[in-house]
């Protein structure tokens, strides 16, 4: 190798080494900006609407949500979206049934109204009551009541079992619910037959399989018990209607999970049958 070529190779190697050293001293690239640093999105901005209403030639539908849900944006938006999706499906089903070949053109259009109200909010929990009125062309409309329980910190829905210690025996709660059902049935229909956990025609549902809401009492911000929501046909004929039955926490306090025990306290203002009294129709 000639001397000029050897000199060029040496210089190139030196330049490469110097460049590598300089790269070690280069400042790190600026960190990527965090989304939302320059524009704050408030819960009000992120919240879904508080209601939905749509009237078509085939069905009228309406959704109403409570103002108390606004701070719970992780619950509000998906709940609104799911309810509206179901209402739109109801309209599609109504259109299909009312326009099918041979259908009676004088049939009244269908109706579905979903009303969600706040039942109780504690430090950790947010309980909602959902009432679904549905008329789909049958002999009478149906009203079904259910509950939603939301853990505000974990940002997720909870079932009844989550409120209790793992492996807790809920037999005592099942029995309390069954006793409340029979007491309410006798008060409403004195000659009605009692129901049991293993009845043939009708039977007492297990608490863990029954819709419920947290129930306020004498201590603000605490649940004094649970109100179970029993639908028509569930424990008796349709004429009996549905039942809402409040069970005091004193009967199951020892079974509560440590994480939720402090969410309960006080006494129920009324135990047993707390079904809302529906207003009588106006006289002719």
């Amino acid at each position: 190798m000639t001397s000029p070529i050897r000199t060029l190779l040496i210089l190139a190697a030196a330049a490469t080494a110097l460049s590598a050293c300089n790269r070690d001293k280069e400042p790190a690239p600026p960190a990527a900006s965090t989304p939302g640093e320059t524009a704050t999105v408030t819960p009000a901005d992120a919240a879904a609407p508080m209601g939905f209403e749509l009237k078509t030639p085939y069905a009228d539908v309406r959704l109403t949500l409570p103002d108390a849900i606004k701070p719970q944006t992780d619950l509000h938006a998906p709940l609104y979206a799911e309810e509206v999706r179901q209402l739109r499906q109801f309209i599609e089903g109504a259109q299909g049934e009312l326009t099918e070949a041979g259908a009676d053109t004088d049939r009244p259009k269908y109706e579905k109204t979903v009303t969600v109200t706040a039942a109780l909010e504690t430090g950790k929990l947010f309980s909602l009551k959902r009432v679904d009125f549905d008329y789909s062309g049958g002999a009478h409309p149906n009203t079904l009541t259910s509950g939603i329980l939301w853990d505000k910190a974990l940002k997720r829905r909870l079932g009844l079992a989550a409120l209790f210690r793992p492996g807790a025996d809920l037999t005592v709660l099942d029995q309390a619910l069954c006793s409340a059902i029979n007491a309410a049935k006798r008060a409403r229909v004195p000659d009605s037959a009692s129901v049991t956990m293993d009845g043939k025609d009708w039977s007492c549902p297990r608490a863990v399989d029954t819709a419920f809401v947290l129930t306020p009492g004498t201590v603000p911000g605490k649940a004094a018990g649970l109100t179970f929501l029993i639908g028509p046909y569930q424990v008796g004929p349709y004429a009996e209607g549905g039942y809402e039955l409040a069970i005091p926490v004193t009967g199951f306090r020892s079974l509560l999970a440590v994480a939720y025990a402090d969410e309960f306290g006080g006494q129920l203002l009324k135990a047993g049958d707390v079904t809302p009294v529906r207003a009588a129709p106006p006289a002719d």
Side-chain angles (χ1 to χ4, degrees):
M1 181 180 296
T2 62
S3 179
I5 294 176
R6 183 184 299 110
T7 300
L8 289 174
L9 291 174
I10 293 173
L11 290 175
T16 302
L18 180 60
S19 175
C21 292
N22 287 340
R23 280 199 302 270
D24 292 339
K25 296 179 182 179
E26 289 176 357
S33 59
T34 302
E37 283 185 339
T38 57
T40 302
V41 178
T42 67
D45 295 330
M50 301 307 298
F52 173 82
E53 185 171 8
L54 184 59
K55 295 183 178 182
T56 75
Y58 311 102
D60 294 344
V61 300
R62 184 170 69 252
L63 167 68
T64 303
L65 298 176
D67 287 340
I69 202 175
K70 288 180 179 179
Q72 312 304 326
T73 54
D74 292 284
L75 170 63
H76 183 185
L79 178 62
Y80 174 86
E82 176 62 17
E83 295 288 0
V84 170
R85 183 186 67 80
Q86 292 183 11
L87 290 175
R88 291 188 182 278
Q89 287 182 339
F90 179 82
I91 291 176
E92 292 175 2
Q95 181 175 355
E97 292 183 16
L98 294 175
T99 58
E100 64 183 2
D104 183 357
T105 56
D106 293 331
R107 292 169 63 185
K109 64 179 179 179
Y110 293 178
E111 181 182 354
K112 190 175 187 67
T113 300
V114 177
T115 305
V116 181
T117 56
L120 177 64
E121 183 171 1
T122 71
K124 293 181 179 179
L125 300 171
F126 184 41
S127 177
L128 296 163
K129 181 180 178 182
R130 180 183 182 275
V131 179
D132 184 331
F133 171 88
D134 182 314
Y135 174 71
S136 300
H140 52 71
N142 288 305
T143 300
L144 297 178
T145 306
S146 58
I148 299 169
L149 185 61
W150 180 254
D151 185 307
K152 297 187 291 184
L154 297 179
K155 300 185 183 302
R156 69 182 184 192
R157 294 194 191 191
L158 301 177
L160 181 70
L163 296 176
F164 297 93
R165 291 184 283 101
D169 184 1
L170 299 184
T171 302
V172 63
L173 192 55
D174 293 338
Q175 293 173 343
L177 176 57
C178 196
S179 295
I181 289 171
N182 282 309
K185 283 172 66 68
R186 285 192 296 271
R188 193 175 296 184
V189 184
D191 60 349
S192 64
S194 296
V195 291
T196 62
M197 298 297 298
D198 55 356
K200 293 182 179 179
D201 294 328
W202 292 288
S203 60
C204 291
R206 298 196 177 279
V208 74
D209 299 323
T210 306
F212 71 97
V213 292
L214 300 182
T215 311
T218 56
V219 178
K222 299 284 187 180
L226 300 171
T227 294
F228 290 91
L229 312 170
I230 311 292
Y233 291 124
Q234 195 168 353
V235 296
Y238 178 83
E240 280 190 18
Y243 292 92
E244 298 187 15
L245 304 166
I247 308 298
V249 67
T250 52
F252 57 84
R253 183 184 297 278
S254 62
L255 302 176
L256 290 170
V258 173
Y260 298 114
D262 287 344
E263 308 309 298
F264 290 81
Q267 297 179 341
L268 290 174
L269 301 179
K270 181 183 178 182
D273 192 355
V274 293
T275 309
V277 178
R278 291 180 173 83
D284 293 335

